[in-house]
Every structure is written in C-alpha cells, then in structure tokens.
C-alpha cells in the first residue's frame, strides 16, 4: 500500500543519506509514485494520496511536480494552511514573456482527439456550425460600433498575447453585448473574432485566462462550435453533418433533433464542403459509435489547455462546480474531476516543465 511504499522511501532516504543519489534511489521513487498513481486511478482522488505524491516530488527536489500536487490539494478543498501558502507561491503560470508556444504536439497531449476523421470533419464544418448556433459577432449583439480600433487596448492586447501561444493570427475584437463577462472566440469569413463583455478587465483574472486559452485552443483546432455546446448536442451536430452529406452514421440515426439539424445543414453546406464531408464521414469507424465520446474529449481537452494557461487551478475548479471546492463535489463533477486528474498527470507535469512554467 501507499503507507508501506512511503515508509520504504523514508527508510531508503535514511540509508542513502536523505537525498537520493543514483539510479537505485530513482527506481525506488518511481515505484512509490507508480503505487500512488495506481491507487488514484483505481480509487479516485484523495488528499492522502496527493500528499504521497508531494513526498515523492519533495524527495526528488522536483519543484514543478510539487507545485502541481499542492495546487491539486487546494482544488479539492483539502490543503492545509502551510500547503496553501506553498501552492500560492506560483499560481501565475504563463506570465513570462519568453514562454514557448503551445504547438500541435503539445495540443495533442492535452487533446488526443485532435487528429482523425472526426476531428477533420468538425474542423471542416466549424464555420458553418458556428453560424447555425449563432456564434457570430452579429448574433451576439456587436457590430462596427463595438469594434476595437488599432490603438492600445489593455484587454485586447492581453488576449492577443495569450492567443499567440496557440499561433492564432490577428483577429477582430468587439467589446460589448448583453453579457458583461462574455469571452468568446469564433471563426469568420476573412478572419476570426473575439467578443468580449464590457465587464472583463485587464489584468485578466485566472478564470478569464482559462476561458481565453480554452477558446483559443478550440479555434486553433476548428472546434469552436463543439466547445460552445454540450457533448450530446455536439454529437448530434456531427451526426447531422454526416447525414447532410449523404453518408449517415448508423449510431446516430435515432438521435433526437437529427432530422432538423440535417435539414439546416443540408441547406447551409456548400456543395464542395458536402462532398469533402462525405469523404470524411466514410472514414469514421464503427458507424460513429464514439462520436459523443469524441465531443467529450474535445471539451475536456480545451479545458486542459485553459487550465495550463489560467494557472490558478482552484479558481478554475470553483468556476466549473459553481461553489467552493470539496472532494465529494469534485469527484461528482466529471469535468472538474477529469481536469484535476490530468493536472497531476506526468503528461501535464512535463508540459509545464517544457513550457517553462
């Protein structure tokens, strides 16, 4: 168990002179870490298991690993005052100007769903789907009067810095509309656009940084419409795309709303797009049985990118669950639970290390 493994690590430390040295001690640390991670995977998040990971990180002198675990303890509402103080030393992730860009390889770590025929199908139809779900500046109540000019604008400029982490080009920025907290990105015919509520201020709050990165990730990959809608709705849209291109997927034939969405898409899709969509739909395996799971993965992958840039995991989780974090509530909220699981994963730790966070 974890207790025996930790005791073994402590005993090894005493024999090795406290600080591990050489391959043997690293093998022991890996064994302890693997034991704890196996328990988390099997039994779920727990404060004692996270503290075990912190012990391993401290043993190795791995500051990035330790901070990651401390922030996870905060995000489940289990951090002690000492742990909270230590975690708050480094919550401003991604603030350094020299931060590296989040390239395709890093995006795929957070969102494995970003490749394959479903990803290509979603990317192909994203501008059309955004029009149909009213994800456009006009539908959101902004126009030329709300368009930010070329002069300095603190919010627009800060969002631009974060957008460039995802290699997004220059975009139009509109400030206004009926939601003061709105922060949405969307494709356009000539160039993309940000629609920002007039209550958003610079410097951006970590939750706003999370939203910017989530939206930027989705726009970069062509998933803006899918991230805007719940996975069940996104799956219906993708099944309708296949049906409207005359290549329906068997698993979606009985979905509620499919007929209406198919009709709307058939009318909205240019012939060339319909032909390309049919070719991609033909490559979707198992009759589209995993389309909804794909949409869940897209949603969670964009959240992971948002958390990586947002930095303050507790603020982000609080926004996701809409109350002060506690372990029972986090474990009962699938998106928040997934986010913390990924936050403490070796993949996320290496992402943070490689990006200089």
């Amino acid at each position: 168990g974890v207790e025996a493994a930790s005791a073994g690590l402590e005993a090894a430390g005493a024999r090795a002179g406290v600080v591990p040295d050489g391959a043997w001690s690293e093998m022991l640390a890996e064994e302890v870490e693997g034991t704890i991670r196996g328990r988390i995977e099997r039994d779920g998040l727990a404060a004692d298991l996270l503290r075990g990971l912190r012990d391993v990180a401290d043993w190795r002198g791995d500051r990035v690993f330790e901070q990651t675990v401390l922030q996870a303890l905060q995000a489940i509402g289990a951090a002690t005052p000492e742990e909270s103080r230590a975690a708050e030393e480094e919550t401003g992730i991604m603030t350094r100007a020299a931060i590296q860009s989040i390239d395709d390889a890093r995006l795929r770590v957070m969102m494995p769903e970003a490749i394959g025929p479903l990803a290509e199908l979603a990317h192909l139809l994203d501008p059309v789907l955004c029009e149909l779900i009213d994800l456009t500046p006009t539908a959101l109540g902004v126009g030329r009067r709300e368009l930010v000019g070329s002069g300095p604008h603190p919010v627009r400029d800060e969002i631009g810095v974060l957008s460039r982490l995802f290699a997004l080009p220059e975009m139009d920025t509109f400030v206004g509309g009926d939601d003061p907290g709105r922060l949405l990105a969307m494709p356009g015919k000539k160039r993309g656009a940000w629609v920002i509520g007039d209550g958003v201020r610079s410097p951006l709050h970590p939750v706003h940084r999370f939203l910017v990165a989530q939206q930027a990730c989705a726009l970069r990959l062509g998933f803006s419409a899918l991230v805007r809608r719940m996975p069940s709705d996104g799956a219906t849209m993708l099944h309708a795309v296949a049906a409207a291109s005359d290549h329906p997927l068997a698993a979606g034939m009985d979905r509620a709303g499919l007929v209406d969405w198919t009709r709307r898409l058939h009318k909205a899709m240019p012939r060339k797009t319909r032909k390309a969509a049919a070719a991609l739909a033909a490559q979707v395996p198992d009759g589209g049985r995993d389309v909804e799971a794909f949409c869940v993965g897209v949603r969670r992958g964009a959240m992971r990118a948002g958390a990586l840039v947002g930095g303050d995991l507790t603020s982000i989780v609080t926004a996701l669950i809409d109350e002060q974090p506690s372990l029972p509530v986090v474990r009962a909220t699938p998106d928040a639970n997934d986010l913390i699981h990924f936050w403490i994963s070796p993949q996320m730790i290496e992402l943070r290390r490689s990006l200089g966070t």
Side-chain angles (χ1 to χ4, degrees), residues 137-190:
T138 301
L140 294 170
V142 295
R144 184 167 297 180
R145 289 179 57 186
E146 290 77 25
L147 181 63
V148 176
S150 59
H153 188 281
V155 176
R156 189 270 317 276
D157 296 344
E158 188 173 352
I159 288 174
V161 170
L162 298 180
S163 296
R164 286 192 288 276
L165 290 174
F166 296 89
L168 291 181
E170 289 293 321
M171 296 166 61
D172 291 330
T173 302
F174 300 85
V175 176
D178 59 3
D179 182 353
R182 178 174 285 144
L183 244 173
L184 291 172
M186 59 213 69
K189 292 179 180 178
K190 293 185 178 179

Side-chain angles (χ1 to χ4, degrees), residues 16 22 54 115 183 192 214 218 237 255-256 283:
R54 185 194 180 186
I115 57 173
L183 244 173
Q214 178 198 45
M237 292 192 296
R255 292 188 73 89
Q283 300 174 42

Side-chain angles (χ1 to χ4, degrees), residues 32-287:
V32 174
E33 181 182 353
T35 299
I36 296 169
R37 289 192 181 280
R39 282 277 302 279
I40 292 172
E41 186 68 27
R42 188 186 72 207
D43 302 332
L45 293 166
D48 64 325
L49 298 175
L50 291 174
R51 290 189 175 101
L53 288 180
R54 185 194 180 186
D55 289 340
V56 173
D58 183 60
W59 187 258
R60 287 177 173 154
D62 189 333
R63 182 66 170 167
V64 175
F65 186 4
E66 183 180 10
Q67 282 293 315
T68 297
V69 175
L70 286 168
Q71 289 159 359
L73 277 165
Q74 274 195 314
I76 64 170
T80 66
E82 179 275 326
E83 289 166 340
S84 292
R85 284 193 297 273
E88 287 164 4
E89 290 176 9
E90 295 183 33
T91 56
I93 299 176
M94 300 283 184
T95 57
R96 281 172 277 186
I99 192 68
Q100 297 184 47
S101 65
I102 302 173
D103 57 18
D104 287 345
R106 292 183 173 109
L107 286 174
R108 286 195 291 270
V109 170
M110 293 181 282
M111 190 192 295
E113 295 80 7
I115 57 173
L118 277 173
E120 293 181 50
L121 191 65
H123 185 277
L124 175 69
L125 269 297
D126 197 43
V128 173
L129 291 171
C130 286
E131 289 274 353
L132 293 177
I133 66 170
D134 291 333
L135 186 56
T136 67
T138 301
L140 294 170
V142 295
R144 184 167 297 180
R145 289 179 57 186
E146 290 77 25
L147 181 63
V148 176
S150 59
H153 188 281
V155 176
R156 189 270 317 276
D157 296 344
E158 188 173 352
I159 288 174
V161 170
L162 298 180
S163 296
R164 286 192 288 276
L165 290 174
F166 296 89
L168 291 181
E170 289 293 321
M171 296 166 61
D172 291 330
T173 302
F174 300 85
V175 176
D178 59 3
D179 182 353
R182 178 174 285 144
L183 244 173
L184 291 172
M186 59 213 69
K189 292 179 180 178
K190 293 185 178 179
R191 63 192 214 163
W194 286 98
V195 177
I196 306 165
D198 55 18
V200 178
R201 296 283 184 267
S202 179
L204 294 175
H205 185 275
V207 173
H208 288 150
R209 290 167 63 86
F210 164 82
L211 291 172
V212 169
Q214 178 198 45
Q215 296 288 309
C217 173
L219 184 59
R220 158 79 176 273
L221 296 172
F223 297 152
S224 293
L226 294 186
V227 168
R228 180 65 173 157
R229 290 298 183 94
M230 295 299 291
S232 58
D233 295 333
T236 299
M237 292 192 296
L238 289 182
H239 277 291
V241 166
S245 65
D246 299 322
H247 202 292
L249 301 172
M253 298 299 289
D254 297 326
R255 292 188 73 89
L258 182 70
V259 172
D260 180 58
W261 265 105
T262 301
R263 177 186 55 78
R264 295 174 67 196
L265 277 161
H266 196 277
K267 183 177 179 180
M269 290 166 63
R271 182 175 298 178
K272 185 177 179 181
T273 301
R274 193 178 303 129
K275 185 176 180 180
L280 290 169
Q283 300 174 42
V284 175
D286 301 322

